[in-house]
Every structure is written in C-alpha cells, then in structure tokens.
Amino acid sequence: MTLDSISRRRLLGTAGAAGAAGLVAGGASAVAADRATRDDAGTTALTSIGASAVDFGGRARAHGTPQAGILDPHQVHGHLVAFDLAPRADRKAAAALLRRWTQAARALVEGRPADREDTGSALDAGPASLTVTMGFGRTFFGKVGLTKQLPQALAPLPDFSSDVLDKARSDGDLWLQIGANDGLVAFNALRVLQRVAGDTARVRWQMTGFNRTPGATDKPRTTRNLMGQIDGTNNPKPEEDDFDARVFVPKGGDASSPAWMAGGSYAVVRRIRMLLDTWDHLSLEQQERVIGRRKSDGAPLSGGTETTPVDLEKFTKDGSIAIRGDAHVRVAAPESNQGAAMLRRPYSYHDGFRDDGQPDAGLLFIAWQADPMRGFVPVQRKLDRGDGLSRFLRHEASGLFAVPAAAKPDEYVGQPLLEG
Amino acid sequence: MTLDSISRRRLLGTAGAAGAAGLVAGGASAVAADRATRDDAGTTALTSIGASAVDFGGRARAHGTPQAGILDPHQVHGHLVAFDLAPRADRKAAAALLRRWTQAARALVEGRPADREDTGSALDAGPASLTVTMGFGRTFFGKVGLTKQLPQALAPLPDFSSDVLDKARSDGDLWLQIGANDGLVAFNALRVLQRVAGDTARVRWQMTGFNRTPGATDKPRTTRNLMGQIDGTNNPKPEEDDFDARVFVPKGGDASSPAWMAGGSYAVVRRIRMLLDTWDHLSLEQQERVIGRRKSDGAPLSGGTETTPVDLEKFTKDGSIAIRGDAHVRVAAPESNQGAAMLRRPYSYHDGFRDDGQPDAGLLFIAWQADPMRGFVPVQRKLDRGDGLSRFLRHEASGLFAVPAAAKPDEYVGQPLLEG
C-alpha cells in the first residue's frame, strides 16, 4: 500500500514557526506554541501540539548524546513494548532489525510515513512530539553471542517484598518506549514498529499509559499521579551539576558499563498498581502524612512551596517531626540513600476494572539512571522496608533495559554494540 | 478528605478570554484558543485545552436541550461505563443516585472538585471540556417499577450475523459517557461518579477510548480511525434542516418515545474490533475499494474532495462502477436506507494484544438518533448483509440507552422520568 503524504506535508508547511523554521525543532523550543486559529469552516490550524517534533538524533550532553524520550517533556500517550527475539535470530538479524527500527523511527518522528505500508492512521497529524526509544534486556546478549558486551549494570534486579511480578509482563530481549501527544500517532508508531520487526522478534508484552495534556495545566514539569499527588518534584534537574553523572554512562564506559553504553542510560520499568479504593479511604491529612507533602500544591510538610527542599529535621510546633519516619519523601530522598537518585518519567495507566472490582490502574514507572545500583536498587530497597506508601502499591511487572546513546547520522541505534 | 481548590480556581481565573469571560463558555466558542506562553521558569499558561468548559445544562435546539457530549467536539479521552442497580434499589434510590450524579457532574464540568472526597487527580487542570452524559438501559425500567415509561425505541436490538457479543460487556441499567481533553480529568470523573454511585449501583462494564488531540491536525470535524480511514465525513450536520428530527425526540414525544424523552436521543454503543493485521495486508487500492473513499484525503472514489457528496451512479472511464456494490459508503449511505441516518461520535480503543497476537483494538462506536429503528438498525441490517468492510470487523459488545434531555437548573438528569 502506498500513501499520499501530501496533505500531511502541507500541514507541516503551514504550521508556523515550529514547522516552517525547521521540521525538527527539538526539545523545549518546539513547545513554544503557535496561536491556534479557527476559520469560518470550523477548522483549526495545526498548533504546536501537532507540529512539534523531537530530534531522533538527540541533543548532546556532557557524556554523549542520549536518545530522545529521556529528557524530553512527557507526552500524552505512551506505549511500552517488549520483544523477544525469534529462536533463530542471530546477531546479524538483530542488527538488521535495529537498522529497520531506526529507519522507521527517523521517518515517524518527523511526521512522515515510515514506509509504503504505513497504515495511515497518523495521516493529517504532525509529529506530535513523537519519540521512539530503544533498549536491550539482559537476555538479548546471550541469544546473539554478545555476552562479553553484557553490562554489569544489567544484573537482575533483586527481589523486593512488595513484588507480585507477572513474569509474562516482565523483562524481554528488546524494549521500545513510544510517546506522542496524539493517540493515533502513538498507535501508528506502535503498529509500524511491530510490523517492521517481522519474523525477527515478537511482542512479549505491551502496556499503554497517559499523561496530562499540554495546556491542561500551567505546571508542565510535574504531573499528578492517579493518587492525586504531584509527582516528580524531587527529580534531578538537567541543569544540575551532578545530573549527567547520575543519569548517563560516562565517555568510555565505567566499571558497570562497557564503552558501547557511553552516553546511554538504564531504564527501570515497573508496573505499579495503586490500591486506589484503599487510598481514597484515608483522610486528606492521612494521605499527606504518608507522602510527606501537601496534596493541593505539593509543598513538603516541612514548609514552603512545591520546590522548597524537604527539611527532614524539621519539627512542628507541637514537637512532632514534620515529615514522618516512614513518609515517602523521606525514605526516597537522596539524603536517605547516600545520594542515590534517578530521573523518573512515568505514565499513568488504567486498564479497566479487575475481577475483584478494583481499578486496574496505577503508574508505569520509568526511571533513568547511569547505574541501577546507584539509582533504583538502593532506593527501592529502602522503600521496600520503610515506606508507608508501599501498603498502597503492588509492583506487578518489572524490566531493566540498557538504552544506548542516540544513533549517529547514517548509523542505527545499538550499532556500536552490534558491530563494535 | 478536603481539597484546596484555590490553585485550580486561580488557573481558571488567569485563563484568558475563555476563562475570564465566563467559566462555562460552551461549545465551539470555547474552542477558540488562547495563546500558550512559556516563561523563563518553563511553565506554560493554561491554554484553551485546559480552560474550555462545556455547559452541563446543554444548548437549546429545536426539540429541547440535549445533554452535553452529543453535539460537542469529541474529546481526547473517553470512558464508557455501564452500571447495574443493586437488587434492593428502588425508584427512590435511583432518583437519589441521578441527583447525586448530576450534582457531581455539574461541579466536575466546571473544573471544581465534586465533593470533599474528590481524589484530586484533576487538580491543577481546568475543565478540559469534560462532559458527562447519562442514559437508561431497557433493564432499568422494570427494576424501578417504571415499565409504563419504557420507550418502544428501547426494544432490544436485533441479532446481526457479524455479532460475537460478550453479554458481560453489553447492556446495563444505567450508562455514563465521560469525555475530556485531559486524561487525569477524565479518570477522576470516572472515579468520582463510581464512588458517588455508592451502594445503589455497581459497575457492569467499563471501556476506555481516545481521539485525536486538538491541534494535532487541522481537520477537527473528522478523525481517522485505527484503519487509517477518515471517519465521520457523512455524519448529519447540526445545521441541516432534518438534523434534529433525525437525532432528537420531538417535543411531547412520539410513537416510539414517551414525553419524558422529548429533546433526548438514543445512544447505540458497539465495541467493534478491527482485524487490523488482516486489513493491513490489503493494498491501498483494495482498502479504498472496500470503503469507497480515498485514504489520503477521504474523497469519494466517485470524485471530488472529502466533502463532495458521494455519487453512487458514477462510472469510471473504464466502464466500471466507481463505488462498488459492497463498498461501505454505498451500503451505509442514507440513499441506500430510506434516509436512515445517525450521528456517529466514536472513540478508538486499544487494549493491548489478544492471546492470538492480534491487537485488541478498534472503535467504540457511539451513534445518536431519535429512534434506533430509523437510524442504527436499518443501516446495520444492510451493512450486516452487504458491506465489504464487515469481513474486517467484529462487533464484540452492544448497548442501547435512552439519553433524556439535559437537566434544567435545580433539576437532575432523568427527573421527568423518575418523578413524572
């Protein structure tokens, strides 16, 4: 099937600054909005939501150029999908798959059809900030004869007492994170990338999530989760001095990572169901004590506003500690974990109701770090033992993926691994 | 739990024309966009996406004032949820439930917390064009002793040969359609309305869908479905002379509808799975012949542009009929069905993959009409026999609901039925 992409290109050409000045505007500048106009026919011009494009080639940082989808603003729609290699797929077949995925993703993130068989559900829309991020699971390396390149950082995550993991929805040889501000663009990318996998790899699991729509709130940096709590306030900030060391593998690699992972990051993926009915039975004050922050504005119970640093030593007037010993912000704080921190960039999910009448809903937790042993693992160990919030959470699936740096022009994602 | 809604109200107050000129702007005028601005702190002002509100009281038409969520632009996120009354719930209990739902919905659509127990996940956002639409299923009437008020129009839909209906996900005593342009606003409304149901009714089934994000395309009137085809072109238009007669019950009712349904409409809900892998194996030309329209721009194969009327008599230069005998647009056309037409306002859905590896995805088809016997039923009978598209579709769930006119101020939805 062939697709006429003229109307789509025309749209991009009339999209104002974000479209005309350069299709791939990249990052925050692409979010600067064009004025939406409505003519007599009731049509609305493509606004920044549709016209914004994220550069698949990434943006350079101190350690290299990470893939898109890690530092970019979270999108409205997200798909996480893990693949397992077919039994006969070897290193050459895997390399060809990554080459095909890279080629398709390059077209899709620019708002072009991926190939002649692109199903067309993304037609009429701009790129809508589509990102496609690719990673490798631990099981990939043995299957393609690359165990020498297996990062120590991909050691299996330890068991945690609050885990009730579904193995069928955990792990996987390969992992894609797809995000876009339009649902049809995101779905089309998922379909295309699955089709392009051909006989080389098949879907192991797939999950769909959502985030706040741009423009629905004036707080784009943080979002609320389904418990109603502001999420992400304490995230490391890209402008902080130690940000790159925390999130990205240094040039040349390190003790946990071979050189092919330089500039890359590790994604810890957890499907965390929230026991929302139980949670909602708590009073507002009880909920706030469990978290350690005010629900209305996210300010820590130690005082100030959302962005005020948490004061773990603060006592209230009545002599009690402001932030309880088992409050989530205390147990998760870098100060409580020898500085361990990770960049969280989650989606919420809601897959209807379970047989027990409870909502099957919660957080597709995605955390980025240079080494899970200095990020997710120590923090989760601590949370697992002492976090008052864990009573309301169930970790139902888990994955850990090595996400290399962005592909250089004319290369494909993972080429330094597969042809190194 | 109590919630501080100050920050939310502040947002609405700073939302520019759509917020300041009146919180409830209603309809198309609310879609006129404010300019999104980004300050040095990286925050974006609430744009029309968040600030737009739809009037729960509806907008008057020739036959009365229909509920919101029928004529309003489709939203990004949708939840359909059916409830069954508890065994002991009588007419009085049902009336109290509708009163509570109406009260909660009135607050939510204005961007206010529904009550002191509102979980808060919608905090920080504006109304985001939230609509809550309420309907009654056939089984409702007998349970509350109102069989005399049962509309003839609620007669069970006939069986169709392409039906593979899951009874557990079909029908229901009560039905809510929730739509919003922000996922947290939509989810919060679902949670609140379920909680407010209390012991009177419990969820029978729930489905979640999505539509294109406003601003992702310059074609807001139509959308693409997951087959990639433009959908809704041939919908009746509110400005057409016969629109109200087709979609809404006349004043005083008619042979199919008691007086309490005056100004109301009937919603036919079908969960239609698309056999996307099979569909995508067709060539573009084959797909277009099945539909009768070009995929790129929706123009009928009889010529013109998307909005050109379909010419069912047109022959091509080679002497073959332009629009095939079993083409979807021919079989569905009002000309082929004694003028039968309905207003379709669907959501796409995607619930991951099925055990057979196929995507569990398709259309949450929602069609509005004054009488299903002059809308969905004759058209679907014809489609069921002669539509080339039906090979690629499976109707997996079905519902039919009587959706009365909007509640008058100080009344609740359905009050003329429950207290008539």
Side-chain angles (χ1 to χ4, degrees):
Chain A
M1 155 177 56
T2 59
L3 281 175
D4 175 1
S5 63
I6 290 173
S7 67
R8 203 160 174 212
R9 290 199 178 116
R10 182 182 60 73
L11 281 175
L12 295 172
T14 59
L23 185 62
V24 176
S29 64
V31 182
D34 297 304
R35 191 176 179 80
T37 54
R38 178 167 275 264
D39 63 23
D40 289 343
T43 60
T44 307
L46 191 70
T47 67
S48 66
I49 284 186
S52 292
V54 179
D55 190 347
F56 184 75
R59 279 168 290 154
R61 302 274 313 179
H63 294 184
T65 305
Q67 290 186 56
I70 303 174
L71 299 181
D72 309 281
H74 58 233
Q75 297 105 326
V76 177
H77 299 273
H79 296 297
L80 309 183
V81 52
F83 292 81
D84 280 340
L85 287 170
R88 290 180 309 176
D90 57 7
R91 176 171 161 174
K92 199 174 151 191
L97 169 57
L98 268 296
R99 188 183 291 279
R100 293 197 301 276
W101 272 350
T102 299
Q103 189 174 22
R106 279 200 172 106
L108 292 169
V109 303
E110 292 181 4
R112 293 183 286 120
D115 52 31
R116 293 168 59 89
E117 291 167 25
D118 191 330
T119 59
S121 65
L123 272 171
D124 304 330
S129 300
L130 176 69
T131 57
V132 177
T133 317
M134 307 180 191
F136 301 93
R138 178 180 177 82
T139 49
F140 175 82
F141 296 83
K143 292 185 184 177
V144 298
L146 283 170
T147 45
K148 279 189 180 169
Q149 298 298 334
L150 174 67
Q152 209 177 309
L154 275 187
L157 297 176
D159 295 330
F160 300 103
S161 66
S162 61
D163 287 358
V164 281
L165 301 182
D166 176 356
K167 292 288 176 192
R169 293 201 291 182
S170 297
D171 307 321
D173 297 339
L174 292 157
W175 177 70
L176 300 180
Q177 175 195 252
I178 297 164
N181 281 331
D182 181 73
L184 291 164
V185 168
F187 181 78
N188 187 60
L190 174 66
R191 290 281 298 163
V192 165
L193 294 165
Q194 188 194 354
R195 172 170 53 74
V196 163
D199 295 332
T200 307
R202 52 171 295 172
V203 171
R204 177 182 172 90
W205 54 258
Q206 187 266 322
M207 299 172 191
T208 298
F210 63 97
N211 271 307
R212 189 135 269 177
T213 303
T217 168
D218 69 351
K219 295 185 176 172
R221 287 231 172 167
T222 52
T223 184
R224 285 187 192 266
N225 59 36
L226 297 187
M227 285 176 157
Q229 201 66 39
I230 289 180
D231 201 330
T233 307
N234 239 354
N235 252 342
K237 311 285 182 300
E239 60 272 22
E240 291 167 354
D241 286 343
D242 53 1
F243 180 83
D244 288 273
R246 281 175 156 166
V247 179
F248 299 112
V249 175
K251 285 177 180 168
D254 60 16
S256 308
S257 285
W260 68 268
M261 269 297 288
S265 186
Y266 294 89
V268 170
V269 180
R270 309 280 285 189
R271 182 182 173 98
I272 306 177
R273 183 161 61 88
M274 295 169 167
L275 308 186
L276 291 176
D277 287 354
T278 316
W279 176 252
D280 288 345
H281 273 113
L282 298 190
S283 70
L284 176 64
E285 293 67 28
Q286 287 172 318
Q287 291 184 354
E288 291 182 336
R289 282 199 295 270
V290 169
I291 302 290
R293 290 185 180 276
R294 273 210 305 260
K295 198 165 185 178
S296 59
D297 61 0
L301 297 186
S302 51
T305 66
E306 181 192 339
T307 52
T308 305
V310 178
D311 182 354
L312 299 176
E313 312 302 324
K314 178 76 174 272
F315 282 80
T316 60
K317 283 176 193 162
D318 69 5
S320 64
I321 189 95
I323 295 178
R324 235 162 51 172
D326 66 349
H328 181 70
V329 290
R330 173 184 294 276
V331 186
E335 303 88 296
S336 309
N337 295 285
Q338 290 88 44
M342 52 196 153
L343 177 67
R344 288 160 289 138
R345 190 177 179 278
Y347 289 90
S348 290
Y349 74 89
H350 170 221
D351 291 338
F353 290 89
R354 294 156 45 94
D355 290 342
D356 62 5
Q358 302 290 310
D360 188 2
L363 199 68
L364 300 180
F365 173 96
I366 308 167
W368 298 92
Q369 58 253 293
D371 182 353
M373 289 306 291
R374 293 183 288 118
F376 175 77
V377 172
V379 175
Q380 183 59 24
R381 274 207 177 110
K382 196 122 181 183
L383 290 172
D384 196 42
R385 284 194 298 263
D387 180 15
L389 183 61
S390 12
R391 287 185 290 139
F392 304 95
L393 305 177
R394 294 288 180 275
H395 288 240
E396 297 192 331
S398 177
L400 171 60
F401 303 98
V403 175
K408 295 189 178 124
D410 304 320
E411 292 198 351
Y412 59 86
V413 176
Q415 187 161 336
L417 165 65
L418 287 152
E419 301 183 20
Chain B
M1 160 175 54
T2 59
L3 281 174
D4 175 1
S5 63
I6 290 172
S7 66
R8 206 163 172 207
R9 291 198 178 119
R10 183 181 59 75
L11 281 174
L12 295 171
T14 59
L23 185 61
V24 176
S29 65
V31 181
D34 298 305
R35 191 176 180 79
T37 53
R38 178 167 274 267
D39 64 22
D40 290 342
T43 60
T44 307
L46 191 71
T47 68
S48 66
I49 285 187
S52 291
V54 179
D55 190 346
F56 184 76
R59 279 168 290 154
R61 301 274 313 177
H63 294 185
T65 305
Q67 289 187 56
I70 303 174
L71 299 180
D72 309 282
H74 58 231
Q75 298 104 326
V76 177
H77 299 272
H79 296 296
L80 309 183
V81 53
F83 293 80
D84 281 339
L85 288 170
R88 287 180 310 174
D90 57 8
R91 177 170 161 176
K92 197 175 154 192
L97 169 56
L98 269 296
R99 189 184 290 280
R100 294 197 301 274
W101 272 352
T102 298
Q103 187 175 23
R106 280 199 170 107
L108 292 168
V109 302
E110 293 180 2
R112 293 183 285 119
D115 52 31
R116 294 168 59 89
E117 289 167 26
D118 191 331
T119 59
S121 64
L123 272 172
D124 304 331
S129 300
L130 175 70
T131 58
V132 177
T133 316
M134 307 180 192
F136 300 93
R138 178 179 177 81
T139 48
F140 176 82
F141 296 83
K143 292 186 185 176
V144 298
L146 283 169
T147 45
K148 280 191 180 167
Q149 298 298 335
L150 174 66
Q152 209 178 309
L154 275 188
L157 297 175
D159 294 332
F160 300 103
S161 67
S162 61
D163 286 358
V164 281
L165 302 182
D166 177 355
K167 292 287 176 193
R169 293 202 291 183
S170 297
D171 306 320
D173 297 339
L174 292 157
W175 177 71
L176 299 180
Q177 173 194 254
I178 298 165
N181 281 330
D182 181 74
L184 291 165
V185 168
F187 181 79
N188 187 60
L190 174 66
R191 291 280 298 163
V192 166
L193 294 165
Q194 188 194 353
R195 172 171 52 75
V196 163
D199 294 333
T200 307
R202 52 171 294 173
V203 172
R204 176 181 172 89
W205 54 259
Q206 187 267 322
M207 301 173 189
T208 298
F210 62 97
N211 272 306
R212 188 134 268 175
T213 303
T217 169
D218 69 352
K219 296 185 175 172
R221 287 232 172 165
T222 52
T223 184
R224 284 187 191 267
N225 59 37
L226 297 186
M227 285 176 157
Q229 201 67 38
I230 290 181
D231 202 330
T233 306
N234 240 355
N235 250 343
K237 311 286 183 299
E239 59 272 21
E240 291 166 354
D241 284 343
D242 53 2
F243 181 83
D244 288 273
R246 281 175 156 168
V247 179
F248 300 112
V249 175
K251 284 178 181 167
D254 60 16
S256 309
S257 285
W260 67 267
M261 270 296 287
S265 186
Y266 293 90
V268 170
V269 180
R270 309 280 286 188
R271 181 181 173 100
I272 306 177
R273 182 161 62 88
M274 295 170 168
L275 308 186
L276 292 175
D277 288 354
T278 316
W279 176 252
D280 288 344
H281 273 113
L282 299 189
S283 71
L284 176 63
E285 292 68 27
Q286 288 171 317
Q287 290 184 355
E288 292 181 336
R289 282 199 296 270
V290 169
I291 301 290
R293 290 185 180 277
R294 273 211 305 262
K295 197 164 185 178
S296 59
D297 60 0
L301 297 186
S302 51
T305 65
E306 182 192 340
T307 51
T308 305
V310 178
D311 182 354
L312 298 176
E313 313 301 324
K314 178 75 173 276
F315 282 80
T316 60
K317 284 176 191 160
D318 68 6
S320 64
I321 187 96
I323 295 179
R324 237 162 51 172
D326 66 348
H328 181 71
V329 289
R330 174 184 293 276
V331 185
E335 303 88 295
S336 309
N337 296 286
Q338 290 89 42
M342 51 197 153
L343 177 68
R344 288 160 289 136
R345 190 177 180 278
Y347 289 89
S348 289
Y349 74 89
H350 171 222
D351 291 336
F353 290 90
R354 292 155 46 94
D355 290 342
D356 62 7
Q358 303 290 310
D360 189 4
L363 199 69
L364 300 179
F365 173 95
I366 308 167
W368 298 93
Q369 57 253 290
D371 181 354
M373 288 307 290
R374 291 183 288 119
F376 176 78
V377 173
V379 176
Q380 182 58 24
R381 273 205 178 113
K382 196 123 182 183
L383 290 172
D384 196 43
R385 285 193 298 263
D387 180 15
L389 183 61
S390 16
R391 288 184 290 139
F392 305 95
L393 305 176
R394 294 288 179 276
H395 288 238
E396 298 191 331
S398 178
L400 171 58
F401 303 98
V403 175
K408 295 189 178 124
D410 302 321
E411 293 198 351
Y412 58 87
V413 176
Q415 187 161 336
L417 165 65
L418 287 152
E419 301 184 18

